[in-house]
Amino acid sequence: MNRAQEVERSINKTFSKTIWSKFIKGIKTYDLIQEGDKIAVCISGGKDSMLMAKSMQLLQRYSMYPFEVDYLVMDPGYNPINRKRIEDNAQMLDIPIKLFETDIFEVVASVEDNPCYLCAKMRRGYLYKNAKALGCNKIALGHHFDDVIETTLMSLFYASEIRTMMPKLHSQNFEGMELIRPLYMVKEGAIIEWMKHNDLKFIQCACRFTENCVLDEQGGGSKRGEMKALIKKMKKDNPDIDINIFNSTHNVNLDTIQGYRKDGERHSFLEDY
């Protein structure tokens, strides 16, 4: 086997229980892929999106129903070193990427108020636009299990709402387009082990302004780091704390909730009291 085949084989062999089965379970549980889909797998160059790309290649090979995949890389203004590493890794892993350039980093460079949020929003828009131009009806992002539970806690602690990261979403600005998260049930620890097992080196963060920035729909990196540390601390006393957080958003007891929003409209428990 060549290098790409070895890495690919490790996903459904060495990491069958922690990655491959979780990947398949997430797709089936949330009905993420249907026959005839054309999916733009969006690659940032990090460990998560690269694993997602290889997993999608495997799924195409073994799936009982046909679907198409394009591997989309957006350059928001990477420095030459980061861009070359992305291109080299894609070639080594036999991922046929389609790369397009934007000036997002230049645009957000002068923004003082929440530049990470603006950057994430612009990136999402460009991905939808270019995916749609390729004839895709879905984009796939590499958010994983830990992103989901961290987002849930961030919303609770800092946004005064109970909100989570959904496994799939309809685009509000691009009709007929959908966002899916195939790694929804895969834990970050398993992804790191897969990376180390195969001695792979991916970019950590390509942000021009900070090496620790985490770009996501919540718009922040430092708060996400706080959540990671908090969950790690709580797991010492309760090893299932991460699973409990994840499952809680699938098991909301509306009989004990004072209020909620649906389609932008607020509701109170008093309506049915």
Side-chain angles (χ1 to χ4, degrees):
M1 292 185 292
N2 61 30
R3 182 80 166 109
Q5 291 171 329
E6 290 177 352
V7 172
E8 188 175 278
R9 180 178 173 83
S10 72
I11 296 173
N12 64 343
K13 296 298 181 182
T14 308
F15 296 93
S16 174
K17 291 183 178 180
T18 57
I19 293 179
W20 182 246
S21 64
K22 300 292 185 182
F23 170 74
I24 296 298
K25 184 178 180 180
I27 288 174
K28 290 183 177 179
T29 299
Y30 303 111
D31 195 23
L32 300 185
I33 300 175
Q34 287 81 41
E35 183 175 347
D37 277 343
K38 186 172 183 181
I39 304 167
V41 175
C42 302
I43 298 173
S44 66
K47 65 184 189 311
D48 309 326
S49 61
M50 286 294 191
L51 170 62
M52 177 178 63
K54 293 306 297 179
S55 298
M56 292 293 282
Q57 284 183 326
L58 267 173
L59 182 63
Q60 263 195 308
R61 190 169 306 139
Y62 295 116
S63 178
M64 295 178 63
Y65 49 85
F67 65 93
E68 297 181 57
V69 175
D70 278 322
Y71 299 92
L72 200 59
V73 176
M74 175 182 61
D75 183 349
Y78 292 142
N79 65 49
I81 296 176
N82 279 330
R83 174 158 171 164
K84 187 175 188 305
R85 172 158 288 187
I86 294 172
E87 293 174 327
D88 288 348
N89 278 333
Q91 182 177 10
M92 182 266 292
L93 293 173
D94 194 23
I95 302 173
I97 61 173
K98 295 180 179 179
L99 191 149
F100 68 94
E101 299 178 350
T102 72
D103 60 352
I104 292 177
F105 283 171
E106 291 292 340
V107 172
V108 302
S110 59
V111 176
E112 296 182 2
D113 186 19
N114 213 347
C116 286
Y117 173 78
L118 176 61
C119 182
K121 187 175 181 179
M122 291 180 67
R123 287 163 71 112
R124 186 76 54 83
Y126 273 110
L127 289 172
Y128 270 126
K129 179 181 178 181
N130 282 269
K132 192 166 187 177
L134 290 171
C136 298
N137 64 311
K138 293 179 180 178
I139 65 171
L141 301 185
H143 296 119
H144 48 64
F145 175 94
D146 295 72
D147 290 322
V148 177
I149 62 174
E150 290 157 13
T151 296
T152 302
L153 293 186
M154 287 166 62
S155 297
L156 181 66
F157 294 156
Y158 294 106
S160 299
E161 65 178 351
I162 299 175
R163 176 184 179 182
T164 189
M165 180 181 281
M166 297 296 287
K168 62 181 180 181
L169 293 167
H170 290 294
S171 173
Q172 296 180 343
N173 299 315
F174 294 85
E175 186 176 356
M177 295 290 292
E178 191 175 358
L179 179 156
I180 63 172
R181 296 182 166 108
L183 299 183
Y184 200 78
M185 289 187 167
V186 179
K187 291 188 176 183
E188 184 176 28
I191 301 175
I192 293 173
E193 287 301 314
W194 168 79
M195 178 181 68
K196 291 180 177 178
H197 174 81
N198 291 288
D199 194 27
L200 298 170
K201 307 294 183 183
F202 300 118
I203 64 173
Q204 296 297 313
C205 177
C207 179
R208 182 179 298 177
F209 315 110
T210 171
E211 292 181 350
N212 300 312
C213 181
V214 178
L215 299 175
D216 58 65
E217 59 192 13
Q218 295 298 320
S222 60
K223 293 295 184 288
R224 186 169 293 278
E226 289 180 20
M227 298 302 102
K228 284 183 181 293
L230 176 61
I231 294 169
K232 182 178 180 180
K233 181 179 180 180
M234 291 191 295
K235 279 179 68 68
K236 293 180 180 179
D237 295 323
N238 182 359
D240 294 327
I241 197 73
D242 53 347
I243 297 292
N244 291 342
I245 296 171
F246 183 84
N247 288 341
S248 68
T249 62
H250 296 68
N251 191 33
V252 177
N253 187 346
L254 289 180
D255 291 333
T256 64
I257 298 296
Q258 294 94 330
Y260 65 94
R261 296 197 310 273
K262 176 66 175 175
D263 298 327
E265 183 178 340
R266 290 185 177 272
H267 298 272
S268 168
F269 81 102
L270 292 174
E271 295 173 8
D272 300 313
Y273 184 74

